[in-house]
Amino acid sequence: MTTPAIETILTEDRRYPPSEGFAAQANAQPAIYDEDFETFWEREGRERISWFEPFTQLYEWKPPYAKWFLGGKTNVAYNCVDRHVEAGLGDKVAFHWEGEPVDERREITFADLQRETTKLANALKALGVRKGTAVGIYMGMVPETPIAMLACARIGAPHTVVFGGFSADSLSDRLRDMECEVLITQDEAWRRGTTVPLKRTADEAVAASPSVKSVVVLRRTGNEVPMQDGRDHWWDDIAMDKTACPCEPMDAEDLLYLLYTSGTTAKPKGIVHTTAGYLTGVATTHHYIFDVKPDSVYWCAADVGWVTGHSYIVYGPLANGTTGVLYEGTPDFPDKDRWWEIVERYKVDILYTAPTAIRAHMKWGTEHAEKHDLSSLRLLGSVGEPINPEAWEWYRRHIGGGRTPVVDTWWQTETGMILITPLPGVTTTKPGSATKPFPGVDAAVYDEQGNEVGPGSGGYLVLRRPWPAMLRGIHKADDRYRETYWSKYDDVYFAGDGARIDRDGDFWLLGRVDDVMNVSGHRISTIEVESALVDHPSVAEAAVCGRTDAQTGQAIVAYVTLKGSEEASVEKLEELRNHVARKIGPIAKPANIVFTPELPKTRSGKIMRRLLRDVAEERTLGDTTTLADPAVVEEIRDRAASEKTEE
Ligand code: WT7
């Protein structure tokens, strides 16, 4: 079933073949796709990371559970830190840290990482942490967050990082589910010039988490916070012992971390990631996809609290000995050029961010980037949601100076590593397409019955062969693991995303399956309509969802933020509906458009479509604890209600 929208996209494709200059120096060369999957991972496994004992079997696949690099022993912190110091790179900068207050900066070298992880690891041991003891980490974007993760990895203590924007309830749910014995946190975090009371929230969470015996507290803002005698310890008071703390030899399949992610029920899923397969997967993808060089300054602008931060701020880049940027604040504080000032200061050559951030910058205008010298940039990346072609083009042109490749990378918390992506220097990119499966990855699009669909048709994205960084299950929830990912099709991983493959074999991600609407029997993705709306010169941002409609099955509701100078009006509404009809086809014309000054987003910047759907359906609102600004939802609901009355 090919919708008119798909045809539109196919005929309007713009293509960016790799430049000769980039291709000649690229880490990835075209022959990478010819390599057999086992040869590829066998080599990457042996060469990309260092082993205490080599593996004896590449992988074992007993659906739905995989193991990788069986028999091998290694340690993630050894790979990310110690081996670089041993190789003489102790003075190399691991992180240029930029605080939110404009005058706070630190340089953390690999030798610093070794010293600080050793000190914290010794302190954790003194608190009773052993191999296998679970540790929670509830912190902001400070160097001590990666240090805490690496200190855990050093002694074989699995961690769970909980994003600093989560509530006490969300934190305690995770601490209880993983049975964490120690929580590492900080007094407060900076956010847009005010402080976020992490320790106080942690106290509330710990009160409801009986497994937690000790709390380690980093001084960040220095403001006074309550400390409980016997339970709470200042980081600096206990992380004093510089005695060498050997990296614990870990089995390839030992647990590295859990990361909780939302599913279709209220209870978050603890996604299981283990040691060697995960590390090989993230280091290998980081090397080829970001074309990282020894002198690169790489900036992944995600939060460490999400999987992007785990895989592509901490583990992948550090395993590759890469210099990174770690930024504590938001893109528009104190000014909207803050990011570009950072790019200029550190001569960042690789920038990896999310479409929602790109669209925010689009909305603010090009003048902020124009104030700075961004000529160091060589490569741009995007992740987290489908990127609309307009944002892709804007990003390449206004940030990448019209010269950089843009890699749109598809993956998930569950996949651990990027799975569908261009390889810069090899792949001809098209704005809006994540292009090809990474070497060795077997991705396909299936219809409802499990038949592989051909070019042009929409369907469900599946993965038919295991990959090294794949999840090893959901913590304490085998049934849910099987049900969520492996029950739709036999022995094939169901990603929960809609996708289609075009006639060049390029993948177009259409959003979560529950974000795909069905209007009069036609499949229309929310992203296609959003993309069309954002294409209109008056529109800054748009979010689209379906609501139940007696006649057409679903009707499309669009929430639109207009650009600063634009006024909402009935005329504008008609103009936008017609614009969508023009871009995609009359079938995609929104039944209703709600103008709103902001869209409700999670702290990580994802538009909360579930909430918008709830508003559209006039249901009670779901959980808003991850909302950046809960008031926005109320505002939208009020407007939606008044617009309905006016109809
Ligand atoms: C979901 C995973 C992967 C790190 C951040 C999100 C969507 C992610 C893309 C992309 C289209 C994308 C998918 C996926 N997604 N990247 N390049 N193009 N969609 O991790 O929270 O686990 O979310 O994000 O829907 O299933 P996550």
Side-chain angles (χ1 to χ4, degrees):
M1 185 185 63
T2 305
T3 66
I6 287 166
E7 288 311 319
T8 309
I9 292 175
L10 286 177
T11 52
E12 288 185 1
D13 276 354
R14 294 202 52 186
R15 285 157 199 270
Y16 292 92
S19 75
E20 272 171 39
F22 199 100
Q25 59 82 63
N27 291 352
Q29 293 298 318
I32 196 171
Y33 287 109
D34 304 335
E35 222 169 347
D36 140 72
F37 140 91
E38 301 196 356
T39 315
F40 179 76
W41 286 119
E42 177 89 27
R43 190 201 50 240
E44 293 297 333
R46 299 221 184 270
E47 293 175 9
R48 188 72 48 203
I49 72 171
S50 304
W51 297 87
F52 299 159
E53 280 175 38
F55 57 90
T56 51
Q57 185 185 340
L58 180 64
Y59 74 110
E60 174 198 280
W61 179 220
K62 292 186 179 158
Y65 289 98
K67 291 182 177 168
W68 279 82
F69 305 119
L70 291 84
K73 292 215 186 310
T74 185
N75 179 287
V76 166
Y78 176 75
N79 274 277
C80 290
V81 180
D82 293 53
R83 66 166 175 164
H84 303 312
V85 178
E86 287 170 11
L89 295 174
D91 292 338
K92 184 173 180 179
V93 174
F95 290 115
H96 291 288
W97 178 74
E98 173 94 11
E100 185 188 273
V102 284
D103 51 355
E104 284 193 49
R105 273 166 223 152
R106 283 163 65 190
E107 276 191 355
I108 316 292
T109 65
F110 282 95
D112 293 334
L113 282 183
Q114 187 181 41
R115 191 185 57 251
E116 297 308 316
T117 55
T118 296
K119 282 159 57 185
L120 184 65
N122 283 329
L124 291 174
K125 277 186 179 169
L127 293 174
V129 176
R130 299 285 175 268
K131 181 177 174 182
T133 308
V135 175
I137 299 174
Y138 182 61
M139 301 177 75
M141 291 287 283
V142 288
E144 286 78 6
T145 307
I147 288 167
M149 295 161 77
L150 291 163
C152 290
R154 189 168 195 92
I155 56 179
H159 59 69
T160 190
V161 179
V162 180
F163 173 61
F166 273 124
S167 67
D169 281 353
S170 305
L171 175 57
S172 71
D173 283 348
R174 288 156 174 79
L175 295 173
R176 278 202 308 272
D177 189 70
M178 196 181 181
E179 295 166 73
C180 295
E181 294 185 25
V182 173
L183 175 64
I184 307 175
T185 187
Q186 59 189 67
D187 49 8
E188 298 170 323
W190 284 115
R191 194 178 162 81
R192 311 178 62 81
T194 62
T195 57
V196 181
L198 291 184
K199 174 63 166 64
R200 280 170 201 278
T201 309
D203 282 343
E204 225 185 287
V206 170
S209 315
S211 59
V212 178
K213 297 185 185 70
S214 313
V215 180
V216 179
V217 189
L218 175 80
R219 263 199 191 87
R220 170 65 189 105
T221 63
N223 292 328
E224 207 172 309
V225 294
M227 292 290 279
Q228 186 176 310
D229 248 9
R231 186 196 71 181
D232 301 350
H233 310 272
W234 290 109
W235 177 308
D236 281 344
D237 292 348
I238 59 167
M240 309 266 282
D241 179 2
K242 290 185 187 152
T243 323
C245 171
C247 295
E248 187 76 29
M250 302 295 283
D251 187 85
E253 282 299 328
D254 277 336
L255 180 61
L256 176 63
Y257 68 79
L258 298 184
L259 186 60
Y260 288 81
T261 185
S262 310
T264 45
T265 73
K267 193 177 150 60
K269 310 176 275 196
I271 302 300
V272 176
H273 284 297
T274 59
T275 298
Y278 175 77
L279 190 65
T280 304
V282 297
T284 302
T285 46
H286 181 255
H287 174 77
Y288 291 114
I289 298 166
F290 298 109
D291 197 52
V292 183
K293 306 298 190 208
D295 60 351
S296 280
V297 180
Y298 160 90
W299 184 14
C300 167
D303 192 284
V304 186
W306 310 115
V307 76
T308 308
H310 284 59
S311 298
Y312 297 109
I313 293 177
V314 180
Y315 293 120
L318 294 179
N320 289 333
T322 306
T323 295
V325 170
L326 194 67
Y327 171 48
E328 189 181 33
T330 52
D332 57 345
F333 189 86
D335 292 303
K336 294 185 173 65
D337 66 340
R338 187 70 194 268
W339 272 23
W340 316 125
E341 182 193 295
I342 294 173
V343 168
E344 182 173 25
R345 175 171 313 125
Y346 300 109
K347 301 199 168 31
V348 171
D349 64 328
I350 305 159
L351 176 66
Y352 189 32
T353 186
T356 193
I358 298 164
R359 288 193 297 264
H361 288 291
M362 273 174 87
K363 174 173 149 185
W364 298 330
T366 54
E367 64 268 30
H368 307 291
E370 280 156 13
K371 274 193 247 162
H372 296 277
D373 176 8
L374 306 183
S375 62
S376 56
L377 288 169
R378 265 193 328 121
L379 179 82
L380 301 175
S382 170
V383 62
E385 53 183 313
I387 179 164
N388 50 302
E390 293 72 20
W392 195 108
E393 297 271 9
W394 187 92
Y395 192 30
R396 185 174 187 279
R397 177 154 170 227
H398 295 288
I399 306 306
R403 36 165 228 287
T404 63
V406 174
V407 292
D408 173 8
T409 64
W410 178 90
W411 59 298
Q412 310 175 300
T413 303
E414 292 88 339
T415 70
M417 61 186 248
I418 296 167
L419 292 187
I420 302 179
T421 178
L423 290 181
V426 178
T427 312
T428 292
T429 53
K430 296 170 197 164
S433 170
T435 71
K436 302 275 196 284
F438 188 76
V441 172
D442 183 13
V445 176
Y446 279 11
D447 68 12
E448 199 61 48
Q449 285 71 43
N451 304 308
E452 189 169 357
V453 304
S457 309
Y460 300 109
L461 179 66
V462 297
L463 302 161
R464 299 187 290 198
R465 191 196 278 147
W467 61 96
M470 71 186 279
L471 75 168
R472 303 300 198 261
I474 301 176
H475 184 58
K476 295 195 293 198
D478 173 65
D479 285 356
R480 193 174 178 196
Y481 174 59
R482 292 172 189 274
E483 165 66 26
T484 308
Y485 308 107
W486 305 94
S487 65
K488 194 167 174 76
Y489 308 115
D490 282 342
D491 298 348
V492 163
Y493 176 86
F494 171 71
D497 275 284
R500 60 181 184 81
I501 304 178
D502 69 16
R503 43 184 166 252
D504 302 324
D506 286 327
F507 284 69
W508 296 75
L509 279 306
L510 303 173
R512 300 295 301 189
V513 189
D514 44 14
D515 290 335
V516 176
M517 301 167 293
N518 190 314
V519 181
S520 305
H522 294 276
R523 186 195 300 250
I524 299 166
S525 145
T526 52
I527 182 71
E528 290 174 280
V529 182
E530 287 166 8
S531 195
L533 285 164
V534 173
D535 176 71
H536 189 281
S538 310
V539 175
E541 209 171 15
V544 165
C545 67
R547 75 163 145 76
T548 316
D549 184 276
Q551 209 181 333
T552 57
Q554 277 189 310
I556 301 173
V557 181
Y559 299 86
V560 167
T561 306
L562 293 173
K563 288 194 180 142
S565 52
E566 297 283 342
E567 285 283 335
S569 64
V570 179
E571 288 72 23
K572 187 60 71 188
L573 189 148
E574 261 325 287
E575 198 181 314
L576 294 184
R577 294 180 74 226
N578 290 331
H579 184 75
V580 174
R582 256 200 318 279
K583 285 296 280 189
I584 303 179
I587 186 73
K589 220 173 171 174
N592 191 10
I593 294 180
V594 180
F595 293 107
T596 169
E598 293 282 345
L599 293 169
K601 288 188 190 146
T602 63
R603 293 291 180 95
S604 69
K606 270 203 169 85
I607 294 168
M608 299 193 75
R609 293 206 173 70
R610 185 171 51 81
L611 279 174
L612 293 176
R613 271 198 303 275
D614 287 349
V615 173
E617 302 278 15
E618 298 174 283
R619 289 192 293 247
T620 42
L621 297 183
D623 176 33
T624 57
T625 54
T626 53
L627 262 188
D629 181 8
V632 173
V633 181
E634 294 303 320
E635 167 94 355
I636 286 177
R637 188 164 51 181
D638 291 344
R639 279 167 188 257
S642 66
E643 247 153 59
K644 239 194 142 68
T645 338
E646 281 159 27
E647 260 172 28

